[in-house]
């Protein structure tokens, strides 16, 4: 089992990082979020949309979901994937992708979207099961119909906050997973509806946990020397085995 941190930057690409997207390969291959440079991230590890079975979108902001119409465009002209991809996302995701494709591409590309994606839109506090695991959604403090997610694949659990203001009790739900990815958009300064490093340093996180900081901005990167286990600052291209994490 391999997990790749392909896009670990904030919406502005601070530090030269890509926007949010992650690739998880087990008995099935998942993408978590699909920011608008997701094609580049996948190709950096020798993958493309043909390798993906499911996509999980946290919320309706471009740096987390606008890779989806780009995937449709490439599959229409180049890849011709045989099996559709199930896309789990918040309500409104399908219409957002339709509107984007209508605005920028031709009707044939829009028709192809219906062949490539099967949308399953759910809000917070829902459970959706699939053959290799399940998705659980939780309340988030952010725009774009955001929700936190706990995703199980092959009995391994990921807690993923997406973008959210820090909600201690729900963050503890994310910590109940085998590994956790939390946004850490800022260091000591505060950005509304986002988590900063001080929120995490001041929270009681068990020492046996692995909490990976992503969606990072410049002020987070500047604090890298203060970020110690159980917090781990991620980098684009970083790879872990969730079943065999080490200090």
């Amino acid at each position: 089992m391999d997990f790749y941190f392909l896009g670990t930057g904030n919406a502005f690409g601070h530090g030269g990082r890509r926007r949010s997207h992650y690739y998880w390969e087990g008995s099935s291959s998942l993408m978590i979020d699909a920011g608008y440079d997701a094609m580049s991230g996948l190709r950096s590890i020798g993958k493309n949309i043909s390798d993906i079975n499911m996509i999980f979108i946290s919320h309706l902001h471009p740096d987390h979901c606008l890779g989806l119409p780009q995937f449709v465009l490439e599959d229409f002209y180049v890849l011709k994937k045989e099996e559709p991809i199930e896309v789990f996302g918040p309500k409104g995701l399908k219409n957002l992708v339709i509107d984007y494709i209508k605005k920028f591409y031709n009707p044939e590309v829009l028709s192809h979207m219906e062949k490539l994606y099967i949308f399953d839109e759910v809000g917070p506090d829902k459970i959706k099961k699939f053959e290799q695991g399940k998705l659980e959604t939780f309340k988030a403090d952010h725009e774009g119909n955001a929700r936190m997610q706990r995703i199980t694949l092959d009995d391994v659990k990921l807690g993923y906050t997406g973008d959210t203001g820090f909600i201690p009790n729900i963050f503890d739900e994310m910590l109940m997973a085998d590994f956790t990815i939390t946004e850490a958009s800022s260091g000591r300064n505060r950005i509304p509806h986002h988590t900063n490093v001080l929120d995490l340093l001041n929270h009681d996180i068990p020492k046996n946990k692995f909490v990976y900081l992503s969606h990072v901005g410049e002020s987070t990167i500047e604090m890298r020397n203060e970020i110690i286990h159980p917090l781990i600052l991620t980098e684009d291209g970083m790879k872990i085995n969730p079943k065999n994490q080490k200090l």
Side-chain angles (χ1 to χ4, degrees):
M1 177 177 280
D2 293 318
F3 189 96
Y4 295 86
F5 296 82
L6 299 179
T8 62
N10 61 6
F12 315 115
H14 286 167
R17 296 167 181 247
R18 302 184 192 100
R19 266 60 63 170
S20 297
H21 60 287
Y22 312 87
Y23 180 76
W24 191 2
E25 193 168 53
S27 64
S28 188
S29 295
L30 317 183
M31 172 163 269
I32 296 98
D33 274 345
Y36 32 69
D37 39 14
M39 284 194 292
S40 172
L42 283 173
R43 283 199 161 78
S44 73
I45 58 169
K47 304 289 184 180
N48 60 46
I49 190 67
S50 297
D51 298 297
I52 295 173
N53 305 118
M54 288 175 279
I55 300 175
F56 297 80
I57 300 296
S58 63
H59 66 289
L60 307 180
H61 280 168
D63 57 319
H64 293 259
C65 71
L66 278 193
L68 293 179
Q70 301 305 111
F71 287 149
V72 177
L73 186 70
E74 183 182 27
D75 195 69
F76 175 68
Y77 284 111
V78 182
L79 298 175
K80 311 298 184 184
K81 182 175 170 63
E82 294 183 2
E83 297 296 326
I85 300 169
E86 191 160 11
V87 181
F88 296 91
K91 294 185 182 300
L93 178 62
K94 181 177 181 179
N95 284 339
L96 184 151
V97 177
I98 287 173
D99 289 346
Y100 187 98
I101 293 175
K102 278 183 176 179
K103 186 174 182 65
F104 293 105
Y105 304 127
N106 61 52
E108 288 80 7
V109 175
L110 182 59
S111 296
H112 188 72
M113 186 204 77
E114 298 290 350
K115 300 176 183 177
L116 182 62
Y117 294 146
I118 300 171
F119 286 91
D120 193 340
E121 298 183 352
V122 294
D125 303 317
K126 301 293 183 182
I127 297 176
K128 301 291 280 189
K129 294 184 178 180
F130 50 93
E131 185 176 352
Q132 298 85 2
K134 68 179 178 180
L135 164 69
E136 303 166 86
T137 61
F138 301 82
K139 174 186 174 182
D141 172 21
H142 197 70
E143 298 173 342
N145 289 349
R147 71 273 176 77
M148 301 189 217
Q149 302 175 89
R150 194 162 59 206
I151 302 167
T152 303
L153 174 64
D154 301 338
D155 297 321
V156 176
K157 290 183 174 64
L158 160 67
Y160 178 51
T161 70
D163 288 4
T164 180
F166 190 67
I167 308 174
N169 63 313
I170 301 181
F171 182 75
D172 287 338
E173 290 280 353
M174 300 298 103
L175 290 177
M176 292 175 67
D178 297 290
F179 67 119
T180 302
I181 302 173
T182 178
E183 75 125 304
S185 294
S186 61
R188 290 181 173 82
N189 59 312
R190 292 198 173 273
I191 302 173
H193 311 297
H194 284 282
T195 299
N196 74 2
V197 176
L198 294 183
D199 292 324
L200 301 167
L201 290 173
N202 292 329
H203 194 70
D204 185 17
I205 302 174
K207 298 301 181 184
N208 65 338
K209 294 296 181 179
F210 291 83
V211 180
Y212 296 92
L213 275 55
S214 192
H215 199 273
V216 302
E218 287 181 354
S219 62
T220 305
I221 298 168
E222 290 169 358
M223 289 184 68
R224 65 167 62 248
N225 292 334
E226 300 173 54
I227 297 171
I228 59 174
H229 189 85
L231 303 182
I232 302 160
L233 182 63
T234 62
E235 304 286 347
D236 284 8
M238 180 175 163
K239 174 184 173 182
I240 65 168
N241 181 341
K243 289 185 175 180
N244 188 29
Q245 299 171 88
K246 296 180 181 179
L247 297 177

